[in-house]
Amino acid sequence: MPRANTPSQPETYTMAKAKKQPRPKAETPKGFRDYFGADVTERQAMLAEIAAVYHRYGFDALESAAVETVEALGKFLPDVDRPNAGVFAWQEGEEEGKGDWLALRYDLTAPLARVYAQHRNDLPTPYRRYAMGPVWRNEKPGPGRYRQFYQCDADTVGAPSVAADAEICAMLCDALEAVGIPRGDYVVRVNNRKVLEGVLDFAGLEPESPARADVMRTMDKFDKVGKQGVMELLTFGRNDQSGAVIPGVGLPDIQAAKIAQYLTQESVPPREDRADAHGELNERRLSSMRAAVGDSPTGKEGVAELEEIARLLKAQGYGEDRVVIDSSVVRGLGYYTGPVFEAELTFEILDEKGRARQFGSVAGGGRYDDLVKRFTGQAVPATGVSIGVDRLLAALREKGRIGGEAQGPVVVTVMDRARMAEYQTMVAELRDAGIRAEVYLGNPKNFGNQLKYADKRGAPVAIIAGSDEFAQGIVQIKDLVLGAKIAETATLEEWQERPSQFEVPRDGMVAKVQEILGSQR
Amino acid sequence: MPRANTPSQPETYTMAKAKKQPRPKAETPKGFRDYFGADVTERQAMLAEIAAVYHRYGFDALESAAVETVEALGKFLPDVDRPNAGVFAWQEGEEEGKGDWLALRYDLTAPLARVYAQHRNDLPTPYRRYAMGPVWRNEKPGPGRYRQFYQCDADTVGAPSVAADAEICAMLCDALEAVGIPRGDYVVRVNNRKVLEGVLDFAGLEPESPARADVMRTMDKFDKVGKQGVMELLTFGRNDQSGAVIPGVGLPDIQAAKIAQYLTQESVPPREDRADAHGELNERRLSSMRAAVGDSPTGKEGVAELEEIARLLKAQGYGEDRVVIDSSVVRGLGYYTGPVFEAELTFEILDEKGRARQFGSVAGGGRYDDLVKRFTGQAVPATGVSIGVDRLLAALREKGRIGGEAQGPVVVTVMDRARMAEYQTMVAELRDAGIRAEVYLGNPKNFGNQLKYADKRGAPVAIIAGSDEFAQGIVQIKDLVLGAKIAETATLEEWQERPSQFEVPRDGMVAKVQEILGSQR
């Protein structure tokens, strides 16, 4: 593609019109992308299925604007230490330094807290809401890592009871099954930040110790670095694969060992074990947790909450084959204050090196009781879940649930430009019968180009009518799917026996096309 | 709502954590808004109907990112004379003055031109695509004027023939009817920029005169200021209602008179006339146009194109009751180069002062042959339409097609907190039967609050079960719709005859709720 070597300053656009402007580059900004055809419609269809589940649970739709004030958004991005990184922000007004700072939302939770604080007198309490839409992160883009992506959240604001957390977990199971993840191929793992705090209490960390957040972040790395890695990171530090030294948190060995001990309790068991567990697995895990939090009041409260969640879910039919207590769930976000959960897909896929591995996490959430308080000064309990839309779509593609190309339209070719009105009438008839159809609107001179176009469009059928056909009152109908199959595999005899082109009376066109489309299914 | 007097600089968020931070304001930025419940789902449903029509016409979905480079967007906003106004823009990178300038898209057409230029080797030609989503304008907000709003576009790129324009007009009719605007309540008005250019040629303006754009903008104001107003604006200027002087274009009277003459040809006739016109109306209008462009070659070409569009549409059954040639259509955007069209709703509504007026325009578009050329240097013909989503939704509400509140969930109240698992089981049964249902998850102490909550939610039914009911194996079911009706209008006898609360066995709960919901429809 020819590209002018264009300076990217916007000043080029303020030049006098007479001056010849360099050509702009036809490129998305780095880290952004375009979605075409089925990539758009399959996502929409998946989100509609999820929305139907959320709606059945009594959740109401909410759509806030993409833009918020920076002060309303606050800084709750995970793993962002630099104060101005992470968001796309700009200042209002024409004179610099005068207006409010605005930013694109980086998630759907921060806007929910603002919405609830702003409209709380008009909203029901508890307020159950779902939201779906793009969010933006001003991060360094990388392979598969985009700066705009979809989230799909459901949250309950104003419900202090863990029944709200249990409901979210049940709803998450229903949503995954609704989009096509079969029972047995996923598990929702539940833990409680209070249990984690209890473990730190019991390990001897001071209640207000600033090391607590670092310790939790380290625990979250257990999946990646294992027990030995966590021990190193909790104490003196560790050399990573590139040889760089990652500094440790600096805990004494005895504290670190207690924490590592907690992490190496039984983790998610293989699928078969879960199906056989009949409630014993959760009971065993709760026992281990009771031991791990010792006499920490916070820890004990956390274990009791998990017990209640498991009991409520079991009563509704959500057993250990779908929701399990799991001590290894930590969640990166700092604002969680109670139960935390994660949905993991347990079927195996091949990674880029051909090794089998579990698909992994597609959703996560938990209880965060302080986000609304930022605005109002009053604590408002809240809990919710966020589904990673792109990852879930990728999973459905892996499982062959969706995928692929959407079917192209029937293409009415143009043999005689003067008869455009008649070709238009043909497509109008096809559409009236509910068939996706279009007239070829490019330059009709080269008929080969029209068939190439039909191929590129994935057209199932082409209609051909020139002056001979019009004179005889007929049309030619080409079954392009059959034609392609025959061209690939058939012998000459088969080819002669199974014609892929049919001559039908003009008024039999729609019926014949319907017949062919039916046979292609 | 208590609000801290907060400075709005983001620096407040970089302070040390120990320092007490002032509370942020819980407000949308000026000109942005939140959409709740039915406002979200009704728009989604309407867009899905429109997408189905576009899809049937062979158009493929495209979703580009909200963010583009400023250079790719270019400056094609209507009525924006200041070079940096109109868009929300910021510079990439942490150091000022180093990175690319990025901006939120202000429409869906500029991104399409970029997408087509970038991916043209992979896309079919012609490329028919539809796109739906928010766009952003950095304008002064006002009543009903927001800085984020939805557009819903369909465009054909790479089709030089006016058959593509005719197709868009037909599709627009189908889309309006699909969402619930009945035939007869709308009209698609079609004109051609070439005819307008021809009129200016014939009035004696030079081909390259910079006054041409001003004259067109003035012609576009005919609806608002009338013939006399246009004459003044084309010549010496005009005092507006506030007394301010609007400068004129400065044409000689004789030129201005010719233009005003063209504008005062018959405009859209009342509905009855159109239905009776049987093709004569378009013929009359084309004749007037032929006279108005005189011997201008551009003008004659424009008239011939309109003739062809009318002929193609008529062949497909789109007569003057749906699509009419109309000399008064101009369209504000500067980039149109051929046919232009506008969909107008012709039913009357009462304005804020109680006067009847036509609802007005809900969609518009036209042919723009130069937008892709900016990137590639090669002219690529394109035509398309944009539906004003919010205005069309408002129209559907006016007509009573949609609106209102979505039905709330069945609310299972909590009489006994210890039985939460049993209440959860009830909602699970209701949901399994496809019924929207939820447990009350607020503080259950005050039962009156639970019924107030059910009312706020628009709940059709409440379920009540306390220790007595559990002991007897029954539940109480309250028909809240009937209850509200009785409370409003019934006499004591009616109230006794038609109870709105029913006692049913626990295992008959789902069936009774289904029966009540059925009776409410």
Side-chain angles (χ1 to χ4, degrees):
Chain A
M1 192 184 316
R3 262 176 216 141
N5 184 13
T6 313
S8 56
Q9 285 76 15
E11 287 76 39
T12 47
Y13 294 95
T14 68
M15 294 175 189
K17 276 183 194 167
K19 194 167 167 184
K20 200 178 158 163
Q21 291 175 11
R23 283 188 209 148
K25 284 181 220 148
E27 284 178 0
T28 45
K30 281 186 198 67
F32 293 90
R33 57 167 295 195
D34 302 312
Y35 294 85
F36 295 91
D39 282 348
V40 178
T41 51
E42 287 174 351
R43 184 180 52 217
Q44 287 307 111
M46 187 184 86
L47 291 176
E49 299 267 20
I50 296 173
V53 172
Y54 289 173
H55 183 260
R56 205 160 67 238
Y57 271 78
F59 286 66
D60 276 345
L62 168 67
E63 189 171 313
S64 61
V67 179
E68 298 274 350
T69 63
V70 164
E71 66 161 324
L73 280 181
K75 302 302 290 180
F76 298 103
L77 277 173
D79 309 321
V80 170
D81 297 323
R82 291 166 302 167
N84 281 314
V87 298
F88 291 106
W90 63 90
Q91 192 165 20
E92 277 265 65
E94 303 203 9
E95 295 157 78
E96 290 262 328
K98 290 271 179 171
D100 285 345
W101 276 86
L102 304 184
L104 292 175
R105 65 184 179 201
Y106 54 79
D107 71 4
L108 300 173
T109 311
L112 169 63
R114 193 269 305 153
V115 166
Y116 186 80
Q118 181 172 350
H119 301 281
R120 65 191 185 284
N121 293 329
D122 301 318
L123 292 171
T125 295
Y127 176 50
R128 288 175 174 94
R129 87 88 180 78
Y130 69 86
M132 304 175 161
V135 301
W136 293 265
R137 300 269 169 97
N138 190 0
E139 291 168 350
K140 212 175 156 154
R145 196 182 164 93
Y146 293 101
R147 303 205 289 174
Q148 172 176 334
F149 53 93
Y150 267 75
Q151 286 190 337
C152 168
D153 286 22
D155 294 79
T156 302
V157 182
S161 149
V162 291
D165 304 274
E167 179 179 89
I168 297 267
C169 292
M171 188 166 72
L172 181 53
C173 294
D174 285 12
L176 292 173
E177 292 182 23
V179 302
I181 304 289
R183 205 169 296 183
D185 267 355
Y186 70 90
V187 60
V188 176
R189 301 152 65 217
V190 187
N191 196 3
N192 196 322
R193 276 293 176 94
K194 290 177 185 170
V195 171
L196 295 167
E197 296 286 353
V199 170
L200 304 199
D201 288 346
F202 193 54
L205 273 84
E206 291 300 313
E208 298 294 319
S209 163
R212 282 181 170 250
D214 294 334
V215 172
M216 291 235 189
R217 266 200 290 275
T218 304
M219 291 168 86
D220 207 12
K221 291 180 186 152
F222 175 66
D223 280 354
K224 284 183 201 143
V225 301
K227 184 178 180 181
Q228 182 59 31
V230 166
M231 277 299 289
E232 291 169 4
L233 287 171
L234 286 177
T235 51
F236 306 109
R238 183 165 193 264
N239 294 325
D240 76 2
Q241 288 172 327
S242 69
V245 177
I246 303 165
V249 178
L251 296 190
D253 274 351
I254 188 164
Q255 288 188 347
K258 274 194 180 170
I259 292 163
Q261 159 76 17
Y262 163 82
L263 285 172
T264 48
Q265 294 183 98
E266 357 163 35
S267 186
V268 190
R271 207 188 297 182
E272 310 76 56
D273 291 8
R274 260 185 290 131
D276 291 343
H278 299 302
E280 293 160 24
L281 177 66
N282 278 347
E283 204 29 69
R284 276 207 310 279
R285 293 203 169 161
L286 288 165
S287 293
S288 307
M289 281 180 173
R290 266 180 221 114
V293 301
D295 56 359
S296 156
T298 306
K300 285 160 121 176
E301 196 180 306
V303 176
E305 287 179 1
L306 288 176
E307 216 171 340
E308 173 72 358
I309 288 173
R311 191 180 72 87
L312 289 172
L313 285 169
K314 201 173 169 188
Q316 295 168 70
Y318 296 82
E320 292 173 358
D321 56 333
R322 295 199 266 175
V323 189
V324 290
I325 306 295
D326 190 319
S327 57
S328 72
V329 177
V330 179
R331 306 289 304 150
L333 286 166
Y335 56 59
Y336 290 122
T337 55
V340 284
F341 25 87
E342 218 163 71
E344 191 167 339
L345 302 189
T346 52
F347 57 83
E348 291 191 335
I349 55 164
L350 298 180
D351 68 12
E352 61 279 8
K353 291 184 181 161
R355 290 168 305 205
R357 62 168 184 81
Q358 290 210 335
F359 189 90
S361 174
V362 291
R367 180 164 283 273
Y368 51 97
D369 283 348
D370 297 327
L371 280 191
V372 176
K373 190 179 181 182
R374 287 181 63 231
F375 295 100
T376 64
Q378 293 166 316
V380 178
T383 184
V385 68
S386 181
I387 292 178
V389 173
D390 293 318
R391 282 196 51 78
L392 185 54
L393 266 174
L396 294 176
R397 291 207 179 96
E398 281 287 342
K399 293 292 277 185
R401 304 269 156 203
I402 54 172
E405 301 293 299
Q407 191 172 52
V410 170
V411 171
V412 174
T413 58
V414 174
M415 303 288 285
D416 179 355
R417 205 194 282 251
R419 295 196 183 256
M420 185 53 89
E422 288 165 88
Y423 298 124
Q424 294 281 13
T425 308
M426 290 180 193
V427 280
E429 282 172 26
L430 289 165
R431 285 175 198 142
D432 284 346
I435 298 167
R436 189 177 196 209
E438 55 172 57
V439 175
Y440 180 74
L441 286 182
N443 187 335
K445 258 189 194 163
N446 179 337
F447 189 69
N449 278 349
Q450 299 199 42
L451 290 182
K452 268 185 218 153
Y453 170 83
D455 184 48
K456 200 161 196 174
R457 295 287 281 126
V461 167
I463 309 283
I464 304 166
S467 43
D468 286 358
E469 282 82 7
F470 283 110
Q472 297 174 55
I474 57 164
V475 295
Q476 306 283 346
I477 302 183
K478 225 173 146 63
D479 180 338
L480 298 172
V481 176
L482 182 59
K485 212 181 288 171
I486 289 172
E488 242 175 52
T489 65
T491 62
L492 182 62
E493 288 78 36
E494 286 170 333
W495 190 82
Q496 284 166 333
E497 272 166 34
R498 298 189 63 195
S500 64
Q501 186 161 333
F502 310 90
E503 194 176 291
V504 299
R506 172 67 182 80
D507 61 6
M509 177 189 73
V510 170
K512 185 68 190 172
V513 170
Q514 276 169 328
E515 182 197 317
I516 294 175
L517 292 176
S519 76
Q520 291 175 349
R521 258 174 224 128
Chain B
M1 194 185 311
R3 262 179 215 137
N5 184 15
T6 312
S8 56
Q9 286 75 14
E11 287 75 38
T12 49
Y13 295 95
T14 67
M15 293 174 188
K17 277 184 193 165
K19 195 168 167 183
K20 201 178 160 168
Q21 292 176 11
R23 285 187 207 148
K25 284 182 221 150
E27 283 178 359
T28 45
K30 281 186 197 69
F32 293 90
R33 56 165 296 195
D34 303 311
Y35 294 86
F36 295 92
D39 282 349
V40 178
T41 52
E42 286 174 353
R43 182 180 55 218
Q44 287 307 109
M46 187 184 86
L47 291 176
E49 299 267 20
I50 296 173
V53 172
Y54 289 172
H55 183 261
R56 204 160 65 238
Y57 271 78
F59 286 67
D60 276 344
L62 168 68
E63 189 172 313
S64 61
V67 179
E68 297 274 352
T69 63
V70 164
E71 66 162 324
L73 280 182
K75 302 301 291 180
F76 298 103
L77 277 174
D79 310 322
V80 170
D81 297 322
R82 291 167 301 165
N84 280 315
V87 299
F88 292 105
W90 63 90
Q91 192 166 19
E92 277 264 64
E94 301 201 10
E95 296 157 76
E96 291 263 328
K98 290 273 178 169
D100 285 346
W101 276 86
L102 304 184
L104 292 176
R105 65 186 180 200
Y106 54 79
D107 72 3
L108 300 173
T109 311
L112 170 64
R114 192 269 306 153
V115 166
Y116 186 80
Q118 180 173 350
H119 302 281
R120 65 192 184 284
N121 293 331
D122 301 317
L123 291 171
T125 295
Y127 175 50
R128 289 175 173 93
R129 85 88 180 80
Y130 69 85
M132 304 176 162
V135 301
W136 292 265
R137 301 269 169 96
N138 190 1
E139 290 170 348
K140 212 177 153 153
R145 194 182 166 93
Y146 294 100
R147 303 204 288 174
Q148 172 175 335
F149 53 93
Y150 266 75
Q151 286 191 335
C152 167
D153 285 22
D155 294 79
T156 301
V157 181
S161 149
V162 292
D165 303 274
E167 178 178 271
I168 297 265
C169 292
M171 188 166 72
L172 181 52
C173 295
D174 285 12
L176 293 174
E177 293 183 22
V179 301
I181 304 289
R183 206 169 294 183
D185 268 354
Y186 70 89
V187 61
V188 175
R189 301 153 64 217
V190 187
N191 196 5
N192 196 324
R193 276 291 175 93
K194 291 177 186 169
V195 171
L196 295 167
E197 298 285 353
V199 170
L200 305 199
D201 290 346
F202 193 53
L205 272 83
E206 292 300 316
E208 297 293 321
S209 164
R212 280 180 172 251
D214 296 333
V215 171
M216 292 237 189
R217 265 200 291 275
T218 304
M219 292 168 85
D220 205 13
K221 292 181 183 150
F222 175 66
D223 279 354
K224 284 184 200 142
V225 303
K227 183 178 182 180
Q228 181 59 30
V230 166
M231 277 298 289
E232 290 169 4
L233 287 171
L234 286 176
T235 52
F236 305 111
R238 181 164 195 265
N239 294 324
D240 76 1
Q241 288 173 327
S242 70
V245 177
I246 303 166
V249 179
L251 297 190
D253 274 350
I254 188 164
Q255 287 188 346
K258 273 195 180 168
I259 292 163
Q261 160 76 19
Y262 163 81
L263 284 172
T264 49
Q265 292 183 102
E266 359 161 34
S267 186
V268 190
R271 207 189 297 183
E272 309 77 57
D273 291 9
R274 260 186 291 132
D276 291 342
H278 299 302
E280 292 161 25
L281 178 66
N282 278 347
E283 204 29 72
R284 278 208 309 279
R285 293 202 169 162
L286 288 165
S287 295
S288 306
M289 281 181 173
R290 268 180 219 110
V293 301
D295 56 1
S296 156
T298 305
K300 285 160 123 174
E301 196 180 305
V303 177
E305 287 179 2
L306 288 176
E307 217 171 338
E308 173 71 357
I309 288 172
R311 192 179 70 86
L312 289 172
L313 285 168
K314 201 173 168 187
Q316 295 169 69
Y318 297 82
E320 292 173 358
D321 56 334
R322 295 199 266 176
V323 189
V324 290
I325 307 294
D326 190 318
S327 57
S328 73
V329 177
V330 180
R331 306 288 306 152
L333 286 167
Y335 56 60
Y336 290 121
T337 54
V340 284
F341 26 87
E342 217 162 71
E344 192 167 338
L345 303 190
T346 52
F347 57 83
E348 291 190 334
I349 54 164
L350 297 181
D351 68 11
E352 60 280 8
K353 289 182 182 163
R355 291 169 305 206
R357 61 168 185 81
Q358 290 210 337
F359 189 90
S361 174
V362 292
R367 180 164 284 273
Y368 51 98
D369 283 348
D370 296 327
L371 279 191
V372 176
K373 191 180 181 183
R374 287 181 62 231
F375 295 100
T376 63
Q378 293 167 317
V380 177
T383 183
V385 67
S386 182
I387 291 179
V389 173
D390 293 320
R391 281 195 53 77
L392 185 53
L393 265 175
L396 294 176
R397 291 207 179 97
E398 283 286 343
K399 295 292 276 184
R401 303 272 155 201
I402 54 172
E405 300 294 300
Q407 191 172 52
V410 170
V411 171
V412 175
T413 59
V414 174
M415 303 288 284
D416 179 356
R417 205 195 283 249
R419 294 194 183 260
M420 185 54 90
E422 288 165 87
Y423 298 123
Q424 293 281 13
T425 308
M426 291 180 192
V427 282
E429 283 172 26
L430 290 165
R431 284 176 199 141
D432 285 346
I435 298 167
R436 188 176 195 210
E438 56 172 57
V439 175
Y440 179 74
L441 286 182
N443 186 335
K445 260 191 192 162
N446 179 335
F447 190 69
N449 278 349
Q450 299 199 43
L451 290 181
K452 269 185 218 153
Y453 171 83
D455 184 49
K456 200 159 197 174
R457 296 287 281 124
V461 167
I463 309 283
I464 304 167
S467 43
D468 286 358
E469 282 81 7
F470 282 110
Q472 296 175 55
I474 58 165
V475 294
Q476 305 284 344
I477 302 183
K478 227 174 146 62
D479 180 338
L480 298 172
V481 175
L482 183 59
K485 212 181 289 171
I486 289 173
E488 241 175 52
T489 64
T491 61
L492 182 62
E493 287 79 37
E494 287 170 330
W495 189 84
Q496 285 166 332
E497 270 165 35
R498 298 189 63 194
S500 66
Q501 185 161 333
F502 310 90
E503 193 177 291
V504 300
R506 172 67 183 78
D507 61 6
M509 177 190 73
V510 170
K512 185 68 189 173
V513 170
Q514 276 170 327
E515 183 197 316
I516 294 174
L517 292 176
S519 76
Q520 290 175 351
R521 261 178 219 124

